[in-house]
Amino acid sequence: MDIKDIIKPENKVYGKSPVLTDNIMHYCPGCSHGTVHKLIAEVIDEMGIQDKTIGISPVGCSVFAYNYLDIDWQQAAHGRAPALATATKRLCPDKYVFTYQGDGDLASIGTAEIIHACNRGENIVVIFINNAIYGMTGGQMAPTTLLGQVTATTPYGRRADLNGFPLKITELIAQLEGTCYVTRQSVQNAASARKTKKAIRKAFENSAMNKGTSFVEVVCTCNSNWKLSPVKANQWMVENMFPFYPLGDMKDR
Amino acid sequence: MAEKILMKGNEAIARAAIHCGCDGYFGYPITPQSEVMETLMEEMPWETTGMVVLQAESETSSINMLYGGASCGKRVMTSSSSPGISLMCEGISYLAGAELPCLVVNVVRGGPGLGTIQPGQGDYFQMVKGGGHGDYKCIVLAPASAQDMYDFVSKAFDLAFKYRTPAIILSDGVIGQMMEKVEMSEQKPRWTDEEIKKNSPWACTGKTNDRKQNIITSLALDAAVHEKLNERLQAKYKKMEEEDVLFDSYMTEDAEHLLVAYGSMSRICQSVVETARENGIKLGLLRPITLFPFANKEIDRLVPQLKSIMSVELSAGQMVEDVRLVVNGRIPVNFYGRLGGIVPSPEEVYEAFVKSIK
Amino acid sequence: MALKGAIVVDTEKCKGCGICESNCPTKTIGISTEVNGKGYPFAYMANPDACTGCTNCATVCPDSVITVYRVKI
């Protein structure tokens, strides 16, 4: 069978989500942000909620998330996205409101905002990208940087006595009464990406049912700052991050 | 005419918020303004107008809740006092940069640092000159009575939405805590979703097929784009100076000397003017109501008839710098102020004034 | 019944990260030696006959540049 006979509109089984814009992403080749953006776009499209969704982008590499998902966006000050989301959801209860935050934004400078938004049980979705490093500023230590991990500010590896311990913030969040769904996922292969998409979908559905805060951590790579190829970075993540940040649901009620 | 009811200035802020159709209040307790949120919680406006009231985990969160609410075209406000406002200044800069309307009430106490819970006017620089990072200014209204506290809430929202910028009510512990009779307006409805879409087509109301996505951001990495944004902000500030300067004059027509004072100090200075007149001194009072935009033109107009000006403040001398900028050396500009939360008596100010013209 | 697939890569938007290649169960995908307008190599069907249209490549593609087609034969 000729390829031309296969490549016909009626045979299309997968393509770019219509909720994604045509802008070329500024992310480095192989960056997980793009994959997670795509999964969110697909969920918004499949739920038919493009006109009801408001995204809140952080400070960090994904500050420009608004260039890629064709919805209304607010760009927050560093760490404050959950505060924006709180007011947005309370003032516009018919909307789906989600924050998209990296580990520096959510687990370092924005710790108070995320803990309290989750503890109040705001009916929002939190997408938490954990790649154990600061991306945009050039690879400095994040709160989630692993012990021994080399970064621009831990050039000899993170040491507990000097730099403290990596923060399992998702485990903390799972303890809070206000959260209804807390899960840790990844996107390094098709199976994991499909699971993450299901988790994101469940989180959005929870928010419509006013069940409380849904929190989806996605363990991701930052191959540029890890100084690995995209494929090697995925391997490093599986070998080093998953043992410390084990995947799976921590809470689902 | 509606009945006048006795209340604290802070209470007046809360009641005005409900009555003018405010959509949301987000705040954190701090003396001397905690009555604002306490009154709102007692009134439970979510049961009547649908107004959201939330005690946030910090001032930082409060101001960023305003950013979220304002992004949706909602009329949102917070209140705090000096140390809390310092924490909010990051957020106010973002609100100004993203061109978001909102209302921030600062019931000023003495500083710096934790300072004192007694009244002060030492936040003039912070509020009038920007406060956070970058080239921005907020509209600043200075109430001098509980009635002003009430009336300025609605006025501040109107100006904030006219210019898409944060508006500040710069009060102080005297005005916030004192009880006066206040005449209240009738309840106005909150804006409907349709009105929000019409009044604020830039707001995050959900991206529909008939329009492009609305993005609320203060970020512009392209220098040319960012310069344009800044020029647009500066043009707004210029327009404010042309169209929205507010001030009160008291016996300035024939004045040979002028006191300039705002907020609680303007009331004390009114007594000082009366004492001076009784003693045959032609003293007048200019009370700036908007501190930005400032009454530059009015001061400039008065300078030729004046022999001296004295700025009277509960600070070490902040507004006096703006007065001096206008006067530009043409006549002496003197200053009298008390610090640490001490409010001077009219006699004390009169004495200082007489000394200044000798 | 067998499945026959094919992919179309938006080569100008592809950054040649290779994640699709590493996720392709039939080793259909290769990364070009030539580069696009941005200077990136790009994904292509190096072994088109092997494609089953499983969509794994497009699912993991961070830049959403892969469209997948599939027929039953």
Side-chain angles (χ1 to χ4, degrees):
Chain A
M1 194 175 199
D2 196 75
I3 284 181
K4 276 184 198 150
D5 299 322
I6 304 173
I7 301 174
K8 285 179 176 169
E10 63 267 30
N11 297 332
K12 185 172 148 185
V13 288
Y14 194 101
K16 184 167 99 46
S17 164
V19 175
L20 286 174
T21 66
D22 289 329
N23 297 325
I24 297 178
M25 292 190 185
H26 70 291
Y27 301 118
C28 305
C31 175
S32 317
H33 275 309
T35 317
V36 181
H37 285 10
K38 178 228 321 259
L39 300 178
I40 299 170
E42 288 176 0
V43 167
I44 291 170
D45 180 40
E46 286 163 24
M47 288 176 71
I49 55 170
Q50 185 178 15
D51 60 343
K52 293 192 188 68
T53 304
I54 295 172
I56 310 206
S57 78
V59 170
C61 284
S62 49
V63 62
F64 289 121
Y66 52 72
N67 285 334
Y68 312 125
L69 266 73
D70 189 20
I71 53 170
D72 282 356
W73 280 95
Q74 306 170 11
Q75 194 282 305
H78 201 15
R80 318 301 178 211
L84 275 65
T86 295
T88 300
K89 181 65 181 175
R90 285 187 181 230
L91 290 162
C92 312
D94 60 323
K95 295 289 189 293
Y96 293 82
V97 181
F98 76 94
T99 70
Y100 187 102
Q101 303 176 259
D103 42 48
D105 192 88
L106 183 142
S108 189
I109 195 166
T111 317
E113 282 75 14
I114 192 63
I115 294 276
H116 285 278
C118 288
N119 196 48
R120 286 189 301 263
E122 302 295 343
N123 286 304
I124 58 169
V125 175
V126 177
I127 309 291
F128 168 42
I129 306 298
N130 176 11
N131 57 15
I133 206 158
Y134 281 71
M136 184 168 254
T137 45
Q140 296 83 7
M141 181 185 74
T144 51
T145 294
L146 298 173
L147 288 177
Q149 189 180 338
V150 171
T151 72
T153 49
T154 54
Y156 308 106
R158 181 177 191 160
R159 273 170 53 179
D161 60 338
L162 280 179
N163 315 111
F165 296 92
L167 179 57
K168 292 187 177 184
I169 189 135
T170 306
E171 277 81 349
L172 261 171
I173 297 285
Q175 303 304 311
L176 304 175
E177 290 296 329
T179 51
C180 62
Y181 178 49
V182 180
T183 188
R184 182 182 284 127
Q185 302 291 336
S186 66
V187 292
Q188 80 280 12
N189 55 36
S192 62
R194 288 182 188 117
K195 275 181 78 175
T196 300
K197 183 174 162 184
K198 275 195 188 131
I200 294 170
R201 169 120 193 185
K202 178 182 271 190
F204 274 82
E205 286 169 350
N206 283 343
S207 116
M209 291 186 283
N210 292 333
K211 288 172 76 175
T213 312
S214 293
F215 188 100
V216 181
E217 173 180 344
V218 188
V219 182
C220 286
T221 62
C222 178
N223 61 73
S224 289
N225 285 305
W226 291 1
K227 307 193 191 310
L228 295 168
S229 75
V231 173
K232 286 237 168 69
N234 270 338
Q235 288 164 2
W236 191 91
M237 174 179 74
V238 172
E239 286 162 18
N240 297 279
M241 296 223 1
F242 288 1
F244 191 78
Y245 298 113
L247 305 186
D249 291 352
M250 285 170 225
K251 184 195 251 182
D252 184 8
R253 67 177 183 205
Chain B
M1 184 161 286
E3 190 193 355
K4 286 191 173 185
I5 295 174
L6 193 66
M7 67 181 79
K8 279 189 178 187
N10 288 336
E11 258 181 273
I13 291 276
R15 294 184 198 283
I18 299 170
H19 293 161
C20 80
C22 173
D23 293 299
Y25 172 95
F26 305 88
Y28 186 80
I30 183 171
T31 308
Q33 64 75 53
S34 296
E35 294 86 357
V36 178
M37 185 160 47
E38 288 169 7
T39 304
L40 286 168
M41 291 296 187
E42 272 171 31
E43 291 291 314
M44 298 199 292
W46 53 90
E47 302 279 355
T48 52
T49 69
M51 178 184 176
V52 169
V53 186
L54 180 63
Q55 180 170 340
E57 65 270 28
S58 66
E59 286 91 350
T60 306
S61 266
S62 307
I63 194 70
N64 284 286
M65 287 173 182
L66 260 60
Y67 187 108
S71 294
C72 302
K74 301 284 184 179
R75 300 205 292 173
V76 287
M77 65 178 289
T78 186
S79 61
S80 188
S81 180
S82 312
I85 295 288
S86 291
L87 275 174
M88 289 186 185
C89 278
E90 176 203 40
I92 296 174
S93 169
Y94 275 73
L95 283 150
E99 299 187 80
L100 292 173
C102 68
L103 169 59
V104 177
V105 180
N106 182 359
V107 183
V108 181
R109 55 193 256 181
L114 203 48
T116 172
I117 59 169
Q118 304 302 323
Q121 292 184 324
D123 293 5
Y124 179 94
F125 283 153
Q126 189 180 39
M127 296 285 87
V128 173
K129 306 294 177 185
H133 56 285
D135 282 303
Y136 77 91
K137 287 183 177 179
C138 299
I139 297 162
V140 183
L141 293 161
S145 64
Q147 185 69 54
D148 280 352
M149 292 284 255
Y150 186 89
D151 295 340
F152 285 8
V153 170
S154 175
K155 192 189 289 284
F157 272 124
D158 289 348
L159 288 168
F161 274 84
K162 175 178 176 184
Y163 292 105
R164 275 188 70 182
T165 200
I168 311 275
I169 291 181
L170 186 67
S171 181
D172 63 56
V174 176
I175 307 295
Q177 290 297 327
M178 73 181 175
M179 291 189 83
E180 287 185 307
K181 281 190 172 174
V182 174
E183 185 184 332
M184 297 192 287
S185 322
E186 280 180 14
Q187 179 66 52
K188 284 190 194 128
R190 291 166 53 232
W191 286 345
T192 61
D193 288 352
E194 287 66 37
E195 283 170 321
I196 287 173
K197 280 180 192 169
K198 191 171 151 277
N199 296 341
S200 307
W202 45 265
C204 289
T205 50
K207 196 254 168 208
T208 42
N209 286 331
D210 57 352
R211 67 159 169 87
K212 287 186 176 167
Q213 54 177 159
N214 282 341
I215 299 166
I216 305 295
T217 182
S218 56
L219 177 66
L221 290 185
D222 182 329
V225 174
H226 196 235
E227 187 175 47
K228 281 270 175 291
L229 162 72
N230 268 285
E231 285 169 357
R232 194 165 68 241
L233 295 183
Q234 294 305 317
K236 284 204 288 204
Y237 306 147
K238 203 163 184 316
K239 190 168 181 232
M240 289 173 199
E241 290 185 310
E242 280 157 15
E243 295 180 12
D244 286 294
V245 176
L246 293 171
F247 60 87
D248 260 353
S249 299
Y250 184 59
M251 297 194 176
T252 57
E253 306 81 43
D254 63 340
E256 291 175 356
H257 300 279
L258 184 73
L259 298 181
V260 183
Y262 70 94
S264 56
M265 287 315 295
S266 70
R267 292 175 64 155
I268 288 165
C269 286
Q270 201 164 321
S271 306
V272 177
V273 168
E274 279 154 19
T275 310
R277 291 275 169 173
E278 282 161 19
N279 289 309
I281 305 172
K282 287 184 175 175
L283 180 63
L285 166 67
L286 181 81
R287 172 210 165 195
I289 294 173
T290 52
L291 299 179
F292 182 82
F294 195 61
N296 292 329
K297 282 183 189 158
E298 178 62 7
I299 294 174
D300 189 60
R301 189 183 73 80
L302 291 171
V303 166
Q305 74 186 56
L306 296 173
K307 291 179 181 149
S308 83
I309 297 183
M310 188 164 88
S311 181
V312 185
E313 306 170 42
L314 296 177
S315 76
Q318 299 195 12
M319 181 176 67
V320 66
E321 293 194 3
D322 283 336
V323 178
R324 285 188 179 130
L325 271 176
V326 184
V327 172
N328 201 15
R330 286 176 285 176
I331 52 171
V333 177
N334 304 305
F335 171 74
Y336 185 72
R338 292 298 300 264
L339 298 163
I342 294 170
V343 181
S345 66
E347 295 74 29
E348 192 182 334
V349 178
Y350 179 67
E351 208 174 293
F353 162 69
V354 169
K355 215 171 140 190
S356 78
I357 59 169
K358 268 184 185 157
Chain C
M1 188 181 68
L3 293 172
K4 183 89 185 73
I7 62 167
V8 173
V9 178
D10 186 341
T11 54
E12 276 311 306
K13 287 187 179 172
C14 179
K15 297 170 186 161
C17 70
I19 289 181
C20 54
E21 182 191 26
S22 72
N23 268 285
C24 176
T26 58
K27 301 200 186 315
T28 300
I29 301 178
I31 301 297
S32 69
T33 48
E34 10 166 3
V35 295
N36 63 20
K38 294 241 178 209
Y40 289 121
F42 46 84
Y44 74 110
M45 282 204 287
N47 187 10
D49 290 342
C51 183
T52 60
C54 72
T55 73
N56 281 7
C57 54
T59 302
V60 295
C61 173
D63 293 285
S64 296
V65 300
I66 303 176
T67 309
V68 184
Y69 299 85
R70 182 167 66 209
V71 289
K72 291 170 186 171
I73 50 170

